[in-house]
Structure formats: structure tokens, C-alpha cells
mmCIF file of all heavy atoms in Angstrom:
data_model
loop_
_atom_site.group_PDB
_atom_site.id
_atom_site.type_symbol
_atom_site.label_atom_id
_atom_site.label_comp_id
_atom_site.label_asym_id
_atom_site.label_seq_id
_atom_site.Cartn_x
_atom_site.Cartn_y
_atom_site.Cartn_z
ATOM 1 N N ASP A 1392 53.611 -15.230 26.365
ATOM 2 C CA ASP A 1392 54.060 -16.529 25.799
ATOM 3 C C ASP A 1392 53.317 -17.701 26.429
ATOM 4 O O ASP A 1392 52.885 -18.633 25.816
ATOM 5 C CB ASP A 1392 55.587 -16.679 25.876
ATOM 6 C CG ASP A 1392 56.373 -15.909 24.991
ATOM 7 O OD1 ASP A 1392 55.723 -15.286 24.009
ATOM 8 O OD2 ASP A 1392 57.579 -15.709 25.107
ATOM 9 N N THR A 1393 53.137 -17.578 27.728
ATOM 10 C CA THR A 1393 52.442 -18.671 28.557
ATOM 11 C C THR A 1393 51.040 -18.738 28.009
ATOM 12 O O THR A 1393 50.412 -19.756 27.770
ATOM 13 C CB THR A 1393 52.560 -18.422 30.031
ATOM 14 O OG1 THR A 1393 53.876 -18.380 30.416
ATOM 15 C CG2 THR A 1393 51.783 -19.527 30.722
ATOM 16 N N ALA A 1394 50.385 -17.594 27.987
ATOM 17 C CA ALA A 1394 48.976 -17.474 27.585
ATOM 18 C C ALA A 1394 48.780 -18.049 26.158
ATOM 19 O O ALA A 1394 47.901 -18.872 25.845
ATOM 20 C CB ALA A 1394 48.416 -16.110 27.718
ATOM 21 N N PHE A 1395 49.653 -17.590 25.215
ATOM 22 C CA PHE A 1395 49.574 -18.129 23.751
ATOM 23 C C PHE A 1395 49.730 -19.720 23.768
ATOM 24 O O PHE A 1395 49.140 -20.353 23.039
ATOM 25 C CB PHE A 1395 50.607 -17.412 22.917
ATOM 26 C CG PHE A 1395 50.067 -15.943 22.604
ATOM 27 C CD1 PHE A 1395 50.966 -15.100 22.029
ATOM 28 C CD2 PHE A 1395 48.824 -15.471 22.891
ATOM 29 C CE1 PHE A 1395 50.631 -13.842 21.692
ATOM 30 C CE2 PHE A 1395 48.508 -14.214 22.564
ATOM 31 C CZ PHE A 1395 49.404 -13.309 21.960
ATOM 32 N N ALA A 1396 50.753 -20.124 24.598
ATOM 33 C CA ALA A 1396 51.070 -21.569 24.588
ATOM 34 C C ALA A 1396 49.986 -22.457 25.034
ATOM 35 O O ALA A 1396 49.627 -23.421 24.486
ATOM 36 C CB ALA A 1396 52.385 -21.794 25.400
ATOM 37 N N THR A 1397 49.234 -21.919 26.107
ATOM 38 C CA THR A 1397 48.072 -22.664 26.554
ATOM 39 C C THR A 1397 46.883 -22.674 25.559
ATOM 40 O O THR A 1397 46.131 -23.584 25.524
ATOM 41 C CB THR A 1397 47.488 -22.085 27.919
ATOM 42 O OG1 THR A 1397 47.023 -20.679 27.724
ATOM 43 C CG2 THR A 1397 48.561 -22.170 29.034
ATOM 44 N N LEU A 1398 46.942 -21.645 24.722
ATOM 45 C CA LEU A 1398 45.895 -21.614 23.676
ATOM 46 C C LEU A 1398 46.290 -22.482 22.466
ATOM 47 O O LEU A 1398 45.359 -23.014 21.821
ATOM 48 C CB LEU A 1398 45.696 -20.204 23.185
ATOM 49 C CG LEU A 1398 45.042 -19.278 24.204
ATOM 50 C CD1 LEU A 1398 45.004 -17.862 23.631
ATOM 51 C CD2 LEU A 1398 43.578 -19.636 24.553
ATOM 52 N N ILE A 1399 47.588 -22.756 22.349
ATOM 53 C CA ILE A 1399 48.043 -23.690 21.232
ATOM 54 C C ILE A 1399 47.642 -25.087 21.486
ATOM 55 O O ILE A 1399 47.092 -25.858 20.829
ATOM 56 C CB ILE A 1399 49.480 -23.356 20.887
ATOM 57 C CG1 ILE A 1399 49.702 -22.005 20.347
ATOM 58 C CG2 ILE A 1399 49.978 -24.479 19.935
ATOM 59 C CD1 ILE A 1399 51.208 -21.599 20.200
ATOM 60 N N SER A 1400 48.259 -25.556 22.689
ATOM 61 C CA SER A 1400 48.090 -26.872 23.170
ATOM 62 C C SER A 1400 48.727 -27.133 24.529
ATOM 63 O O SER A 1400 49.618 -26.323 24.893
ATOM 64 C CB SER A 1400 48.495 -27.989 22.177
ATOM 65 O OG SER A 1400 49.945 -27.967 22.090
ATOM 66 N N VAL A 1401 48.218 -28.080 25.199
ATOM 67 C CA VAL A 1401 48.925 -28.361 26.503
ATOM 68 C C VAL A 1401 50.418 -28.765 26.300
ATOM 69 O O VAL A 1401 51.231 -28.410 27.009
ATOM 70 C CB VAL A 1401 48.118 -29.541 27.284
ATOM 71 C CG1 VAL A 1401 48.967 -30.061 28.356
ATOM 72 C CG2 VAL A 1401 46.776 -29.169 27.707
ATOM 73 N N ARG A 1402 50.689 -29.535 25.175
ATOM 74 C CA ARG A 1402 51.953 -30.008 24.965
ATOM 75 C C ARG A 1402 52.896 -28.788 24.609
ATOM 76 O O ARG A 1402 53.958 -28.807 25.027
ATOM 77 C CB ARG A 1402 51.935 -30.886 23.640
ATOM 78 C CG ARG A 1402 53.258 -31.558 23.310
ATOM 79 C CD ARG A 1402 53.101 -32.325 22.020
ATOM 80 N NE ARG A 1402 54.294 -33.086 21.613
ATOM 81 C CZ ARG A 1402 54.586 -33.556 20.460
ATOM 82 N NH1 ARG A 1402 53.759 -33.305 19.485
ATOM 83 N NH2 ARG A 1402 55.613 -34.260 20.259
ATOM 84 N N ALA A 1403 52.298 -27.778 23.880
ATOM 85 C CA ALA A 1403 53.115 -26.598 23.699
ATOM 86 C C ALA A 1403 53.524 -25.929 24.953
ATOM 87 O O ALA A 1403 54.612 -25.297 25.133
ATOM 88 C CB ALA A 1403 52.264 -25.723 22.794
ATOM 89 N N MET A 1404 52.674 -25.826 25.933
ATOM 90 C CA MET A 1404 52.980 -25.135 27.136
ATOM 91 C C MET A 1404 54.059 -25.794 27.901
ATOM 92 O O MET A 1404 55.058 -25.163 28.307
ATOM 93 C CB MET A 1404 51.631 -25.085 28.065
ATOM 94 C CG MET A 1404 51.876 -24.544 29.395
ATOM 95 S SD MET A 1404 52.383 -22.802 29.423
ATOM 96 C CE MET A 1404 53.934 -22.996 30.258
ATOM 97 N N SER A 1405 53.973 -27.089 28.106
ATOM 98 C CA SER A 1405 55.107 -27.808 28.827
ATOM 99 C C SER A 1405 56.354 -27.813 28.047
ATOM 100 O O SER A 1405 57.435 -27.653 28.577
ATOM 101 C CB SER A 1405 54.642 -29.275 29.170
ATOM 102 O OG SER A 1405 54.264 -29.929 27.984
ATOM 103 N N SER A 1406 56.296 -27.970 26.757
ATOM 104 C CA SER A 1406 57.486 -27.992 25.890
ATOM 105 C C SER A 1406 58.197 -26.684 25.912
ATOM 106 O O SER A 1406 59.313 -26.505 25.791
ATOM 107 C CB SER A 1406 57.125 -28.413 24.439
ATOM 108 O OG SER A 1406 56.693 -29.740 24.416
ATOM 109 N N LEU A 1407 57.344 -25.543 25.838
ATOM 110 C CA LEU A 1407 57.965 -24.209 25.889
ATOM 111 C C LEU A 1407 58.863 -23.999 27.078
ATOM 112 O O LEU A 1407 59.981 -23.541 27.027
ATOM 113 C CB LEU A 1407 56.801 -23.128 25.880
ATOM 114 C CG LEU A 1407 57.247 -21.697 25.953
ATOM 115 C CD1 LEU A 1407 58.059 -21.381 24.680
ATOM 116 C CD2 LEU A 1407 56.074 -20.780 26.077
ATOM 117 N N VAL A 1408 58.414 -24.499 28.282
ATOM 118 C CA VAL A 1408 59.210 -24.339 29.446
ATOM 119 C C VAL A 1408 60.455 -25.366 29.427
ATOM 120 O O VAL A 1408 61.517 -24.875 29.816
ATOM 121 C CB VAL A 1408 58.359 -24.761 30.752
ATOM 122 C CG1 VAL A 1408 59.227 -24.653 32.005
ATOM 123 C CG2 VAL A 1408 57.144 -23.788 30.841
ATOM 124 N N TYR A 1409 60.262 -26.509 28.929
ATOM 125 C CA TYR A 1409 61.510 -27.433 28.721
ATOM 126 C C TYR A 1409 62.478 -26.712 27.812
ATOM 127 O O TYR A 1409 63.696 -26.639 28.008
ATOM 128 C CB TYR A 1409 61.094 -28.706 28.014
ATOM 129 C CG TYR A 1409 60.299 -29.646 28.973
ATOM 130 C CD1 TYR A 1409 59.191 -30.333 28.569
ATOM 131 C CD2 TYR A 1409 60.855 -29.976 30.215
ATOM 132 C CE1 TYR A 1409 58.450 -31.224 29.416
ATOM 133 C CE2 TYR A 1409 60.237 -30.880 31.110
ATOM 134 C CZ TYR A 1409 59.021 -31.570 30.568
ATOM 135 O OH TYR A 1409 58.416 -32.462 31.415
ATOM 136 N N ALA A 1410 61.989 -25.999 26.625
ATOM 137 C CA ALA A 1410 62.965 -25.323 25.794
ATOM 138 C C ALA A 1410 63.577 -24.164 26.400
ATOM 139 O O ALA A 1410 64.809 -24.017 26.239
ATOM 140 C CB ALA A 1410 62.157 -24.811 24.551
ATOM 141 N N GLN A 1411 62.870 -23.457 27.248
ATOM 142 C CA GLN A 1411 63.474 -22.268 27.976
ATOM 143 C C GLN A 1411 64.603 -22.874 28.923
ATOM 144 O O GLN A 1411 65.606 -22.151 29.144
ATOM 145 C CB GLN A 1411 62.403 -21.545 28.699
ATOM 146 C CG GLN A 1411 61.570 -20.802 27.689
ATOM 147 C CD GLN A 1411 60.421 -20.053 28.397
ATOM 148 O OE1 GLN A 1411 59.998 -20.428 29.332
ATOM 149 N NE2 GLN A 1411 59.765 -19.119 27.709
ATOM 150 N N THR A 1412 64.324 -23.977 29.530
ATOM 151 C CA THR A 1412 65.292 -24.476 30.543
ATOM 152 C C THR A 1412 66.592 -24.773 29.796
ATOM 153 O O THR A 1412 67.753 -24.452 30.237
ATOM 154 C CB THR A 1412 64.847 -25.836 31.100
ATOM 155 O OG1 THR A 1412 63.711 -25.555 31.821
ATOM 156 C CG2 THR A 1412 65.823 -26.425 32.087
ATOM 157 N N LEU A 1413 66.533 -25.244 28.511
ATOM 158 C CA LEU A 1413 67.714 -25.676 27.663
ATOM 159 C C LEU A 1413 68.399 -24.448 27.243
ATOM 160 O O LEU A 1413 69.633 -24.297 27.317
ATOM 161 C CB LEU A 1413 67.351 -26.575 26.520
ATOM 162 C CG LEU A 1413 66.811 -27.991 26.966
ATOM 163 C CD1 LEU A 1413 66.632 -28.811 25.796
ATOM 164 C CD2 LEU A 1413 67.723 -28.667 28.006
ATOM 165 N N TYR A 1414 67.621 -23.511 26.571
ATOM 166 C CA TYR A 1414 68.407 -22.391 25.948
ATOM 167 C C TYR A 1414 68.802 -21.263 26.935
ATOM 168 O O TYR A 1414 69.654 -20.457 26.652
ATOM 169 C CB TYR A 1414 67.604 -21.788 24.852
ATOM 170 C CG TYR A 1414 66.379 -20.998 25.032
ATOM 171 C CD1 TYR A 1414 66.397 -19.763 25.756
ATOM 172 C CD2 TYR A 1414 65.149 -21.465 24.600
ATOM 173 C CE1 TYR A 1414 65.265 -18.939 25.929
ATOM 174 C CE2 TYR A 1414 63.989 -20.643 24.797
ATOM 175 C CZ TYR A 1414 64.007 -19.414 25.547
ATOM 176 O OH TYR A 1414 62.863 -18.707 25.760
ATOM 177 N N LEU A 1415 68.278 -21.464 28.181
ATOM 178 C CA LEU A 1415 68.789 -20.558 29.246
ATOM 179 C C LEU A 1415 70.217 -20.974 29.759
ATOM 180 O O LEU A 1415 70.800 -20.211 30.562
ATOM 181 C CB LEU A 1415 67.819 -20.313 30.265
ATOM 182 C CG LEU A 1415 66.658 -19.379 30.025
ATOM 183 C CD1 LEU A 1415 65.671 -19.371 31.232
ATOM 184 C CD2 LEU A 1415 67.102 -17.947 29.703
ATOM 185 N N ILE A 1416 70.568 -22.191 29.414
ATOM 186 C CA ILE A 1416 71.800 -22.592 29.987
ATOM 187 C C ILE A 1416 73.024 -21.774 29.370
ATOM 188 O O ILE A 1416 73.815 -21.217 30.215
ATOM 189 C CB ILE A 1416 72.081 -24.164 29.580
ATOM 190 C CG1 ILE A 1416 71.042 -24.978 30.426
ATOM 191 C CG2 ILE A 1416 73.512 -24.536 29.944
ATOM 192 C CD1 ILE A 1416 71.072 -26.398 29.987
ATOM 193 N N PRO A 1417 73.117 -21.619 28.105
ATOM 194 C CA PRO A 1417 74.260 -20.777 27.540
ATOM 195 C C PRO A 1417 73.908 -19.294 27.925
ATOM 196 O O PRO A 1417 74.943 -18.555 28.235
ATOM 197 C CB PRO A 1417 74.283 -20.987 26.063
ATOM 198 C CG PRO A 1417 72.828 -21.528 25.694
ATOM 199 C CD PRO A 1417 72.397 -22.283 26.921
ATOM 200 N N VAL A 1418 72.692 -18.817 28.014
ATOM 201 C CA VAL A 1418 72.441 -17.388 28.457
ATOM 202 C C VAL A 1418 72.944 -17.216 29.880
ATOM 203 O O VAL A 1418 73.601 -16.201 30.122
ATOM 204 C CB VAL A 1418 70.932 -17.161 28.317
ATOM 205 C CG1 VAL A 1418 70.639 -15.811 28.985
ATOM 206 C CG2 VAL A 1418 70.419 -17.136 26.957
ATOM 207 N N SER A 1419 72.744 -18.167 30.698
ATOM 208 C CA SER A 1419 73.128 -18.069 32.068
ATOM 209 C C SER A 1419 74.617 -18.205 32.239
ATOM 210 O O SER A 1419 75.273 -17.428 32.912
ATOM 211 C CB SER A 1419 72.471 -19.044 32.934
ATOM 212 O OG SER A 1419 70.990 -18.828 32.946
ATOM 213 N N LEU A 1420 75.193 -19.294 31.653
ATOM 214 C CA LEU A 1420 76.610 -19.543 31.806
ATOM 215 C C LEU A 1420 77.482 -18.485 31.264
ATOM 216 O O LEU A 1420 78.496 -18.157 31.856
ATOM 217 C CB LEU A 1420 76.912 -20.859 31.064
ATOM 218 C CG LEU A 1420 76.621 -22.184 31.753
ATOM 219 C CD1 LEU A 1420 76.946 -23.334 30.926
ATOM 220 C CD2 LEU A 1420 77.329 -22.252 33.137
ATOM 221 N N PHE A 1421 77.140 -17.849 30.138
ATOM 222 C CA PHE A 1421 77.963 -16.813 29.503
ATOM 223 C C PHE A 1421 77.366 -15.489 29.710
ATOM 224 O O PHE A 1421 78.167 -14.515 30.141
ATOM 225 C CB PHE A 1421 78.165 -17.207 28.102
ATOM 226 C CG PHE A 1421 78.584 -18.606 27.894
ATOM 227 C CD1 PHE A 1421 77.815 -19.540 27.287
ATOM 228 C CD2 PHE A 1421 79.780 -19.085 28.442
ATOM 229 C CE1 PHE A 1421 78.229 -20.873 27.037
ATOM 230 C CE2 PHE A 1421 80.189 -20.414 28.355
ATOM 231 C CZ PHE A 1421 79.354 -21.225 27.683
ATOM 232 N N GLY A 1422 76.089 -15.232 29.455
ATOM 233 C CA GLY A 1422 75.624 -13.810 29.466
ATOM 234 C C GLY A 1422 75.468 -13.431 30.982
ATOM 235 O O GLY A 1422 76.021 -12.270 31.392
ATOM 236 N N MET A 1423 74.789 -14.230 31.758
ATOM 237 C CA MET A 1423 74.595 -13.892 33.212
ATOM 238 C C MET A 1423 75.936 -13.860 33.929
ATOM 239 O O MET A 1423 76.292 -12.960 34.819
ATOM 240 C CB MET A 1423 73.577 -14.855 33.842
ATOM 241 C CG MET A 1423 73.238 -14.449 35.248
ATOM 242 S SD MET A 1423 72.152 -15.633 36.038
ATOM 243 C CE MET A 1423 70.675 -15.558 34.989
ATOM 244 N N ALA A 1424 76.878 -14.826 33.634
ATOM 245 C CA ALA A 1424 78.122 -14.909 34.364
ATOM 246 C C ALA A 1424 78.878 -13.727 34.063
ATOM 247 O O ALA A 1424 79.381 -13.087 35.076
ATOM 248 C CB ALA A 1424 78.812 -16.163 33.888
ATOM 249 N N VAL A 1425 79.033 -13.405 32.811
ATOM 250 C CA VAL A 1425 79.876 -12.096 32.518
ATOM 251 C C VAL A 1425 79.215 -10.860 33.173
ATOM 252 O O VAL A 1425 79.823 -10.062 33.683
ATOM 253 C CB VAL A 1425 80.015 -12.087 31.066
ATOM 254 C CG1 VAL A 1425 80.826 -10.782 30.672
ATOM 255 C CG2 VAL A 1425 80.914 -13.276 30.561
ATOM 256 N N SER A 1426 77.876 -10.775 32.835
ATOM 257 C CA SER A 1426 77.197 -9.512 33.242
ATOM 258 C C SER A 1426 77.235 -9.309 34.827
ATOM 259 O O SER A 1426 77.418 -8.256 35.316
ATOM 260 C CB SER A 1426 75.765 -9.566 32.796
ATOM 261 O OG SER A 1426 75.796 -9.650 31.421
ATOM 262 N N ALA A 1427 76.928 -10.506 35.458
ATOM 263 C CA ALA A 1427 76.910 -10.403 36.967
ATOM 264 C C ALA A 1427 78.248 -10.066 37.524
ATOM 265 O O ALA A 1427 78.400 -9.260 38.551
ATOM 266 C CB ALA A 1427 76.470 -11.694 37.573
ATOM 267 N N ALA A 1428 79.349 -10.637 36.937
ATOM 268 C CA ALA A 1428 80.778 -10.277 37.459
ATOM 269 C C ALA A 1428 81.126 -8.857 37.059
ATOM 270 O O ALA A 1428 81.867 -8.255 37.842
ATOM 271 C CB ALA A 1428 81.717 -11.420 36.915
ATOM 272 N N GLU A 1429 80.766 -8.426 35.942
ATOM 273 C CA GLU A 1429 81.213 -7.128 35.492
ATOM 274 C C GLU A 1429 80.404 -6.023 36.164
ATOM 275 O O GLU A 1429 80.991 -4.892 36.296
ATOM 276 C CB GLU A 1429 80.973 -6.979 33.991
ATOM 277 C CG GLU A 1429 81.964 -7.840 33.164
ATOM 278 C CD GLU A 1429 83.406 -7.438 33.311
ATOM 279 O OE1 GLU A 1429 83.582 -6.173 33.694
ATOM 280 O OE2 GLU A 1429 84.347 -8.279 33.144
ATOM 281 N N LEU A 1430 79.126 -6.181 36.650
ATOM 282 C CA LEU A 1430 78.400 -5.118 37.150
ATOM 283 C C LEU A 1430 79.096 -4.306 38.318
ATOM 284 O O LEU A 1430 79.145 -3.169 38.224
ATOM 285 C CB LEU A 1430 76.992 -5.586 37.502
ATOM 286 C CG LEU A 1430 75.988 -4.567 38.112
ATOM 287 C CD1 LEU A 1430 75.883 -3.358 37.127
ATOM 288 C CD2 LEU A 1430 74.707 -5.102 38.488
ATOM 289 N N PRO A 1431 79.554 -5.011 39.378
ATOM 290 C CA PRO A 1431 80.150 -4.255 40.379
ATOM 291 C C PRO A 1431 81.460 -3.494 39.909
ATOM 292 O O PRO A 1431 81.731 -2.389 40.311
ATOM 293 C CB PRO A 1431 80.636 -5.372 41.512
ATOM 294 C CG PRO A 1431 79.690 -6.405 41.109
ATOM 295 C CD PRO A 1431 79.433 -6.506 39.725
ATOM 296 N N GLU A 1432 82.177 -4.193 38.882
ATOM 297 C CA GLU A 1432 83.413 -3.538 38.381
ATOM 298 C C GLU A 1432 83.011 -2.338 37.557
ATOM 299 O O GLU A 1432 83.670 -1.254 37.495
ATOM 300 C CB GLU A 1432 84.204 -4.597 37.568
ATOM 301 C CG GLU A 1432 84.549 -5.753 38.406
ATOM 302 C CD GLU A 1432 85.176 -5.492 39.651
ATOM 303 O OE1 GLU A 1432 86.007 -4.539 39.670
ATOM 304 O OE2 GLU A 1432 84.957 -6.286 40.611
#
């Protein structure tokens, strides 16, 4: 994804990371939180 983004445009590369920062919030808050707590159990 990083390589393709740098080939698309500089703006695409930085925006891709900004987007990942935002959509990883629910992934982390709910997916990671539940998975991390459940794994030892």
C-alpha cells in the first residue's frame, strides 16, 4: 500500500496514513480491546 501510494502521489501517501489513523480508532477500541482481553481467558 505504501509503495502504491507513493506512485500515485505524495498527497496520497500522507493521506493514506491519516486515514489509517482514523479508521484504526474503532478497530483498536473494539476489536483490539475485546481480542486482547479475551486472549488470556
Side-chain angles (χ1 to χ4, degrees):
D1392 285 347
T1393 301
F1395 286 168
T1397 62
L1398 292 173
I1399 293 170
S1400 70
V1401 170
R1402 186 189 190 196
M1404 175 61 239
S1405 55
S1406 295
L1407 179 64
V1408 180
Y1409 285 131
Q1411 290 172 340
T1412 299
L1413 296 186
Y1414 71 68
L1415 282 176
I1416 293 174
V1418 172
S1419 300
L1420 280 178
F1421 309 117
M1423 186 184 297
V1425 173
S1426 300
E1429 289 294 338
L1430 179 58
E1432 307 306 324

